[in-house]
Amino acid sequence: MSQENTSQNNQKNQNKSQNNQQDINQLLKVRREKLAALQEAGKDPFLITKYDVTHHSQDVKDSFDALEGTNVTIAGRMMFKRVMGKASFCNIQDLKGNIQCYVARDSIGEEAYTDFKKYDVGDILGISGEVFRTKTGEMSIHAASVTLLSKSLQILPEKFHGLTDTDMRYRQRYVDLIMNAEVKDTFVKRSKVLSSIRRYLDDQGFMEVETPMLVSNAGGAAARPFETHFNALDEDLKLRISLELYLKRLIVGGMERVYEIGRVFRNEGLDTRHNPEFTLMELYQAYTDYHGMMDLTENLYRYVAREVTGSEILTYGEHQMDLSKPFERITMVDAVRKYAGVDFNEIHTLEEARAIAKEKHIEYEERHKKGDILNLFFEEFVEEHLIQPTFVMDHPIEISPLTKKKPDNPEYVERFEFFMNGWEMANAYSELNDPIDQRARFAAQEELLAAGDDEANHTDEDFLNALSIGMPPTGGIGFGIDRMVMMMTNAPSIRDVLAFPTMKTIEK
């Protein structure tokens, strides 16, 4: 295409865009004029404070045989309207779906019908009338009265194409929910995930608790925190990156089974599985270990899947994951041997680990120890293969500063990560309750901080004091709730299961 033709096409597109904007501005102007006319006539919809609803759309359809011929009252957003002289049809969308309404002049009165004909798609209406079936067999409501409850001053996206711009869907989730029924279903299921988790844990004798979000020492995970300043105390604080250290304090205090579902904040990048603020659940149970946490995880995931999806088979993309079978359990060393062909039981020194890393083209940093290099092998060669539910056990001590050592092999700890679909879904320990060992682990973390690792933990003196008072043998686990919801809803991105994901601010 010549430069001249390209310039002409650009000009045409620019002119078309300007004309479209002018058309939109005119439509917006008309809507405001309609509102002004209503207000002048004493019919301001924004003065209405309540409207008594008896049924939702799907309730009417589900109980049609019992409700046919009776009066119901619904309310929702008008998504479609077809005016045909003295009678019209409209479609009302509410929380549970949508239903057709038949609006006739002789049923609601001439003045009300004249008003109705001026209402716009997007307006919120209350409709009271008789349940009936049209000649074409569609379940409907024959309106006896129509009430304008809220005037929409904006224009919804064109109905046949919906809201398809991904960036705009996330920024204007309220419009996304209106235009895309499957989006609303995702967030209904998210609520079911949370309620079913609570129901299961409550039945197991766990108590839900709350711990601080603003902390002086953000520990319990390897992550960079967000920092802020508390003016009243003239003190720098951080947003929590984990729930762990405060929940363990409660175990010390004698609360034997506790859990918290809450937001945590990590100053990291954005991708399909990461958002800087996300929902984490952590639970701690006294007098058990990481094997107890495996049993709990297996049973909890099965329960939630049944409650939310009605099945123990989860479909995500091209994979089907079977939760009905016992979950595989494999050590990290065995997993690396299986998928990378490298046996770290035969690697005894850091020099040997570095040599095999170079041979296998695994990049490592000078600060990395043998256990860190094992973990790099795991991330490179193993994770993508863990499609079916799998517990990867017995991590190297270097990457597990809060975990009990294995008594028979102190280079490794009693820890597991739970994987499905190649994703880490949970992380669990036999919790370290030796205050002397914990202080030494914190000291090693401080060395990493000094060496430039800004995700390493600071020493938490109050937590060490709590451990010194005495914490019983304890199992603990952290679940990524957003990833669990993704799995239960087949959502391709974490942004699809967060009502309002983090977005870069658009400069005006």
Side-chain angles (χ1 to χ4, degrees):
M1 183 181 291
S2 69
Q3 185 175 354
E4 181 179 354
N5 287 337
T6 301
S7 178
Q8 289 175 347
N9 284 337
N10 288 342
Q11 185 61 48
K12 286 180 181 178
N13 289 334
Q14 185 177 353
N15 291 340
K16 183 178 180 181
S17 177
Q18 289 174 346
N19 290 335
N20 287 341
Q21 188 59 50
Q22 289 173 355
D23 291 343
I24 291 172
N25 290 340
Q26 180 58 33
L27 291 172
L28 294 176
K29 181 173 179 287
V30 169
R31 290 198 177 204
R32 289 186 177 271
E33 289 172 349
K34 288 181 179 180
L35 174 62
L38 287 167
Q39 291 170 331
E40 189 174 331
K43 300 176 181 179
D44 187 348
F46 298 122
L47 295 181
I48 296 174
T49 58
K50 63 174 294 189
Y51 188 79
D52 292 328
V53 175
T54 63
H55 295 77
H56 283 96
S57 55
Q58 194 60 42
D59 300 334
V60 174
K61 293 178 178 179
D62 290 343
S63 304
F64 180 82
D65 291 341
L67 291 174
E68 187 175 14
T70 66
N71 286 323
V72 298
T73 301
I74 66 164
R77 191 177 302 275
M78 183 166 66
M79 300 299 293
F80 168 79
K81 183 177 76 167
R82 183 170 78 247
V83 176
M84 304 179 301
K86 298 178 182 179
S88 303
F89 286 95
C90 67
N91 188 283
I92 300 298
Q93 177 176 292
D94 59 19
L95 173 67
K96 296 184 179 180
N98 60 78
I99 192 165
Q100 176 177 273
C101 297
Y102 173 70
V103 183
R105 184 192 67 181
D106 293 345
S107 297
I108 67 170
E110 188 167 347
E111 181 180 348
Y113 189 66
T114 299
D115 288 341
F116 170 78
K117 289 193 293 183
K118 296 177 183 177
Y119 297 160
D120 295 301
V121 168
D123 289 351
I124 295 176
L125 306 181
I127 294 183
S128 184
E130 183 179 307
V131 175
F132 81 113
R133 195 185 292 273
T134 64
K135 292 179 181 178
T136 59
E138 185 166 353
M139 301 178 201
S140 306
I141 297 173
H142 188 148
S145 67
V146 178
T147 305
L148 178 63
L149 300 173
S150 182
K151 180 68 185 167
S152 175
L153 301 179
Q154 265 291 1
I155 299 169
L156 293 176
E158 198 272 326
K159 69 175 182 176
F160 294 109
H161 298 99
L163 182 62
T164 56
D165 182 278
T166 302
D167 187 76
M168 190 58 68
R169 286 182 54 220
Y170 298 146
R171 292 183 186 278
Q172 296 187 14
R173 182 67 82 189
Y174 41 91
V175 181
D176 190 25
L177 289 165
I178 294 168
M179 300 307 300
N180 297 313
E182 69 278 5
V183 173
K184 185 180 291 184
D185 182 62
T186 292
F187 290 103
V188 169
K189 285 182 176 176
R190 182 185 178 99
S191 178
K192 288 181 178 179
V193 167
L194 292 168
S195 62
S196 60
I197 289 171
R198 287 187 166 100
R199 195 157 50 246
Y200 179 84
L201 292 178
D202 292 349
D203 288 345
Q204 298 298 312
F206 283 85
M207 180 167 59
E208 185 171 10
V209 298
E210 295 173 307
T211 60
M213 289 190 181
L214 283 172
V215 295
S216 58
N217 187 349
R224 182 187 305 152
F226 288 94
E227 299 181 359
T228 187
H229 186 77
F230 184 19
N231 292 334
L233 296 180
D234 191 23
E235 182 179 357
D236 289 332
L237 295 174
K238 300 176 178 67
L239 290 172
R240 66 185 180 186
I241 60 173
S242 168
L243 313 175
E244 180 167 348
L245 300 185
Y246 281 98
L247 290 176
K248 286 182 180 178
R249 286 169 167 91
L250 296 178
I251 294 291
V252 170
M255 298 170 73
E256 295 180 0
R257 297 189 181 202
V258 296
Y259 75 96
E260 180 174 7
I261 299 174
R263 289 282 188 164
V264 296
F265 309 86
R266 298 182 182 179
N267 199 346
E268 58 190 16
L270 295 160
D271 61 32
T272 56
R273 282 183 279 163
H274 293 88
N275 193 73
E277 62 172 309
F278 61 98
T279 302
L280 183 65
M281 182 188 75
E282 291 196 31
L283 65 85
Y284 293 85
Q285 179 179 340
Y287 312 114
T288 191
D289 62 2
Y290 73 144
H291 292 289
M293 291 296 101
M294 287 186 221
D295 294 339
L296 184 148
T297 301
E298 196 164 331
N299 293 329
L300 174 63
Y301 255 82
R302 284 196 192 108
Y303 178 83
V304 173
R306 286 195 305 268
E307 290 287 299
V308 176
T309 72
S311 173
E312 293 180 358
I313 308 295
L314 294 180
T315 299
Y316 189 89
E318 61 185 15
H319 299 302
Q320 279 198 333
M321 286 144 288
D322 189 350
L323 304 184
S324 66
K325 300 175 182 177
F327 295 2
E328 182 182 359
R329 303 185 181 195
I330 187 170
T331 68
M332 182 178 281
V333 168
D334 287 345
V336 168
R337 181 170 57 236
K338 178 178 179 179
Y339 292 105
V342 176
D343 187 354
F344 268 76
N345 284 329
E346 302 301 321
I347 296 172
H348 304 292
T349 67
L350 176 57
E351 289 69 26
E352 290 173 345
R354 287 175 171 175
I356 194 66
K358 289 178 181 177
E359 179 184 324
K360 297 291 186 178
H361 308 291
I362 298 293
E363 295 184 6
Y364 61 86
E365 298 178 24
E366 191 64 28
R367 62 184 173 84
H368 284 150
K369 305 288 195 301
K370 173 189 165 186
D372 297 299
I373 294 174
L374 168 60
N375 188 54
L376 292 173
F377 268 83
F378 174 78
E379 292 174 349
E380 178 68 24
F381 290 106
V382 180
E383 286 189 2
E384 64 181 321
H385 298 287
L386 304 179
I387 304 303
Q388 295 305 314
T390 303
F391 295 118
V392 177
M393 308 157 52
D394 302 349
H395 292 50
I397 193 170
E398 291 90 342
I399 62 169
S400 311
L402 298 163
T403 316
K404 271 192 173 181
K405 298 174 185 175
K406 290 183 68 65
D408 58 344
N409 191 353
E411 288 187 7
Y412 296 90
V413 297
E414 294 191 347
R415 173 184 175 186
F416 73 80
E417 291 175 297
F418 172 50
F419 282 84
M420 280 201 308
N421 193 51
W423 301 354
E424 179 198 338
M425 305 298 293
N427 186 25
Y429 313 149
S430 295
E431 302 297 335
L432 179 59
N433 62 343
D434 178 346
I436 298 171
D437 189 359
Q438 183 64 79
R439 182 173 290 281
R441 307 272 194 100
F442 276 142
Q445 290 286 300
E446 294 284 1
E447 290 179 7
L448 291 175
L449 276 170
D453 183 356
D454 55 8
E455 293 187 349
N457 283 209
H458 285 279
T459 301
D460 189 325
E461 291 292 347
D462 183 72
F463 177 65
L464 288 171
N465 183 60
L467 289 187
S468 297
I469 290 171
M471 185 174 85
T474 297
I477 189 166
F479 291 89
I481 296 298
D482 305 307
R483 289 187 188 181
M484 180 187 273
V485 176
M486 289 175 68
M487 203 68 68
M488 299 288 171
T489 60
N490 197 16
S493 170
I494 192 172
R495 293 183 174 190
D496 294 316
V497 300
L498 296 173
F500 302 101
T502 302
M503 306 287 290
K504 185 176 177 61
T505 302
I506 298 177
E507 295 183 5
K508 296 183 179 180

PDB file of all heavy atoms in Angstrom, residues 238-249:
ATOM      1  N   LYS A 238       5.175  -1.740  56.971  1.00  0.00           N
ATOM      2  CA  LYS A 238       5.079  -2.504  55.732  1.00  0.00           C
ATOM      3  C   LYS A 238       3.712  -3.178  55.669  1.00  0.00           C
ATOM      4  O   LYS A 238       3.087  -3.443  56.687  1.00  0.00           O
ATOM      5  CB  LYS A 238       6.188  -3.562  55.668  1.00  0.00           C
ATOM      6  CG  LYS A 238       7.604  -2.984  55.719  1.00  0.00           C
ATOM      7  CD  LYS A 238       8.633  -4.097  55.759  1.00  0.00           C
ATOM      8  CE  LYS A 238      10.055  -3.532  55.760  1.00  0.00           C
ATOM      9  NZ  LYS A 238      10.356  -2.794  57.001  1.00  0.00           N
ATOM     10  N   LEU A 239       3.258  -3.438  54.439  1.00  0.00           N
ATOM     11  CA  LEU A 239       2.080  -4.276  54.255  1.00  0.00           C
ATOM     12  C   LEU A 239       2.522  -5.731  54.297  1.00  0.00           C
ATOM     13  O   LEU A 239       3.549  -6.098  53.718  1.00  0.00           O
ATOM     14  CB  LEU A 239       1.407  -3.968  52.924  1.00  0.00           C
ATOM     15  CG  LEU A 239       0.717  -2.603  52.816  1.00  0.00           C
ATOM     16  CD1 LEU A 239       0.261  -2.352  51.387  1.00  0.00           C
ATOM     17  CD2 LEU A 239      -0.462  -2.521  53.759  1.00  0.00           C
ATOM     18  N   ARG A 240       1.745  -6.561  54.960  1.00  0.00           N
ATOM     19  CA  ARG A 240       2.162  -7.949  55.178  1.00  0.00           C
ATOM     20  C   ARG A 240       2.328  -8.697  53.858  1.00  0.00           C
ATOM     21  O   ARG A 240       1.586  -8.457  52.885  1.00  0.00           O
ATOM     22  CB  ARG A 240       1.153  -8.669  56.065  1.00  0.00           C
ATOM     23  CG  ARG A 240      -0.226  -8.855  55.437  1.00  0.00           C
ATOM     24  CD  ARG A 240      -1.193  -9.461  56.417  1.00  0.00           C
ATOM     25  NE  ARG A 240      -2.519  -9.646  55.828  1.00  0.00           N
ATOM     26  CZ  ARG A 240      -3.585 -10.045  56.500  1.00  0.00           C
ATOM     27  NH1 ARG A 240      -3.494 -10.284  57.797  1.00  0.00           N
ATOM     28  NH2 ARG A 240      -4.748 -10.207  55.899  1.00  0.00           N
ATOM     29  N   ILE A 241       3.294  -9.591  53.828  1.00  0.00           N
ATOM     30  CA  ILE A 241       3.505 -10.465  52.678  1.00  0.00           C
ATOM     31  C   ILE A 241       3.020 -11.878  52.968  1.00  0.00           C
ATOM     32  O   ILE A 241       2.981 -12.732  52.081  1.00  0.00           O
ATOM     33  CB  ILE A 241       4.990 -10.498  52.264  1.00  0.00           C
ATOM     34  CG1 ILE A 241       5.863 -11.023  53.408  1.00  0.00           C
ATOM     35  CG2 ILE A 241       5.458  -9.120  51.804  1.00  0.00           C
ATOM     36  CD1 ILE A 241       7.315 -11.243  53.034  1.00  0.00           C
ATOM     37  N   SER A 242       2.666 -12.125  54.222  1.00  0.00           N
ATOM     38  CA  SER A 242       2.281 -13.464  54.661  1.00  0.00           C
ATOM     39  C   SER A 242       1.427 -13.327  55.917  1.00  0.00           C
ATOM     40  O   SER A 242       1.353 -12.254  56.521  1.00  0.00           O
ATOM     41  CB  SER A 242       3.548 -14.283  54.946  1.00  0.00           C
ATOM     42  OG  SER A 242       3.248 -15.476  55.631  1.00  0.00           O
ATOM     43  N   LEU A 243       0.780 -14.415  56.302  1.00  0.00           N
ATOM     44  CA  LEU A 243      -0.021 -14.448  57.535  1.00  0.00           C
ATOM     45  C   LEU A 243       0.664 -15.257  58.623  1.00  0.00           C
ATOM     46  O   LEU A 243       0.186 -15.321  59.756  1.00  0.00           O
ATOM     47  CB  LEU A 243      -1.391 -15.085  57.240  1.00  0.00           C
ATOM     48  CG  LEU A 243      -2.140 -14.584  56.000  1.00  0.00           C
ATOM     49  CD1 LEU A 243      -3.399 -15.404  55.784  1.00  0.00           C
ATOM     50  CD2 LEU A 243      -2.465 -13.113  56.114  1.00  0.00           C
ATOM     51  N   GLU A 244       1.811 -15.826  58.308  1.00  0.00           N
ATOM     52  CA  GLU A 244       2.383 -16.915  59.089  1.00  0.00           C
ATOM     53  C   GLU A 244       2.757 -16.574  60.520  1.00  0.00           C
ATOM     54  O   GLU A 244       2.358 -17.253  61.475  1.00  0.00           O
ATOM     55  CB  GLU A 244       3.619 -17.458  58.356  1.00  0.00           C
ATOM     56  CG  GLU A 244       4.302 -18.602  59.057  1.00  0.00           C
ATOM     57  CD  GLU A 244       5.305 -19.302  58.167  1.00  0.00           C
ATOM     58  OE1 GLU A 244       5.307 -19.047  56.955  1.00  0.00           O
ATOM     59  OE2 GLU A 244       6.078 -20.111  58.700  1.00  0.00           O
ATOM     60  N   LEU A 245       3.565 -15.537  60.704  1.00  0.00           N
ATOM     61  CA  LEU A 245       4.202 -15.350  62.002  1.00  0.00           C
ATOM     62  C   LEU A 245       3.205 -14.967  63.096  1.00  0.00           C
ATOM     63  O   LEU A 245       3.377 -15.364  64.255  1.00  0.00           O
ATOM     64  CB  LEU A 245       5.312 -14.306  61.892  1.00  0.00           C
ATOM     65  CG  LEU A 245       6.437 -14.669  60.897  1.00  0.00           C
ATOM     66  CD1 LEU A 245       7.554 -13.637  60.950  1.00  0.00           C
ATOM     67  CD2 LEU A 245       6.986 -16.059  61.169  1.00  0.00           C
ATOM     68  N   TYR A 246       2.167 -14.234  62.745  1.00  0.00           N
ATOM     69  CA  TYR A 246       1.156 -13.898  63.756  1.00  0.00           C
ATOM     70  C   TYR A 246       0.265 -15.098  64.068  1.00  0.00           C
ATOM     71  O   TYR A 246      -0.150 -15.291  65.214  1.00  0.00           O
ATOM     72  CB  TYR A 246       0.308 -12.710  63.299  1.00  0.00           C
ATOM     73  CG  TYR A 246       1.011 -11.388  63.509  1.00  0.00           C
ATOM     74  CD1 TYR A 246       1.679 -10.760  62.468  1.00  0.00           C
ATOM     75  CD2 TYR A 246       1.031 -10.778  64.761  1.00  0.00           C
ATOM     76  CE1 TYR A 246       2.329  -9.552  62.664  1.00  0.00           C
ATOM     77  CE2 TYR A 246       1.683  -9.567  64.971  1.00  0.00           C
ATOM     78  CZ  TYR A 246       2.327  -8.969  63.915  1.00  0.00           C
ATOM     79  OH  TYR A 246       2.982  -7.772  64.120  1.00  0.00           O
ATOM     80  N   LEU A 247      -0.049 -15.917  63.071  1.00  0.00           N
ATOM     81  CA  LEU A 247      -0.857 -17.101  63.335  1.00  0.00           C
ATOM     82  C   LEU A 247      -0.110 -18.080  64.243  1.00  0.00           C
ATOM     83  O   LEU A 247      -0.699 -18.717  65.118  1.00  0.00           O
ATOM     84  CB  LEU A 247      -1.245 -17.776  62.019  1.00  0.00           C
ATOM     85  CG  LEU A 247      -2.248 -17.003  61.153  1.00  0.00           C
ATOM     86  CD1 LEU A 247      -2.475 -17.713  59.833  1.00  0.00           C
ATOM     87  CD2 LEU A 247      -3.576 -16.802  61.871  1.00  0.00           C
ATOM     88  N   LYS A 248       1.202 -18.194  64.049  1.00  0.00           N
ATOM     89  CA  LYS A 248       1.990 -19.062  64.936  1.00  0.00           C
ATOM     90  C   LYS A 248       2.004 -18.523  66.366  1.00  0.00           C
ATOM     91  O   LYS A 248       2.021 -19.298  67.335  1.00  0.00           O
ATOM     92  CB  LYS A 248       3.416 -19.188  64.411  1.00  0.00           C
ATOM     93  CG  LYS A 248       3.549 -20.082  63.189  1.00  0.00           C
ATOM     94  CD  LYS A 248       5.022 -20.176  62.794  1.00  0.00           C
ATOM     95  CE  LYS A 248       5.223 -21.055  61.596  1.00  0.00           C
ATOM     96  NZ  LYS A 248       6.644 -21.098  61.180  1.00  0.00           N
ATOM     97  N   ARG A 249       1.994 -17.215  66.511  1.00  0.00           N
ATOM     98  CA  ARG A 249       1.910 -16.635  67.856  1.00  0.00           C
ATOM     99  C   ARG A 249       0.627 -17.102  68.550  1.00  0.00           C
ATOM    100  O   ARG A 249       0.598 -17.334  69.764  1.00  0.00           O
ATOM    101  CB  ARG A 249       1.935 -15.107  67.787  1.00  0.00           C
ATOM    102  CG  ARG A 249       3.301 -14.489  67.457  1.00  0.00           C
ATOM    103  CD  ARG A 249       3.094 -13.006  67.146  1.00  0.00           C
ATOM    104  NE  ARG A 249       4.309 -12.214  67.102  1.00  0.00           N
ATOM    105  CZ  ARG A 249       5.035 -12.000  66.004  1.00  0.00           C
ATOM    106  NH1 ARG A 249       4.688 -12.561  64.855  1.00  0.00           N
ATOM    107  NH2 ARG A 249       6.110 -11.219  66.057  1.00  0.00           N
TER     108      ARG A 249
END
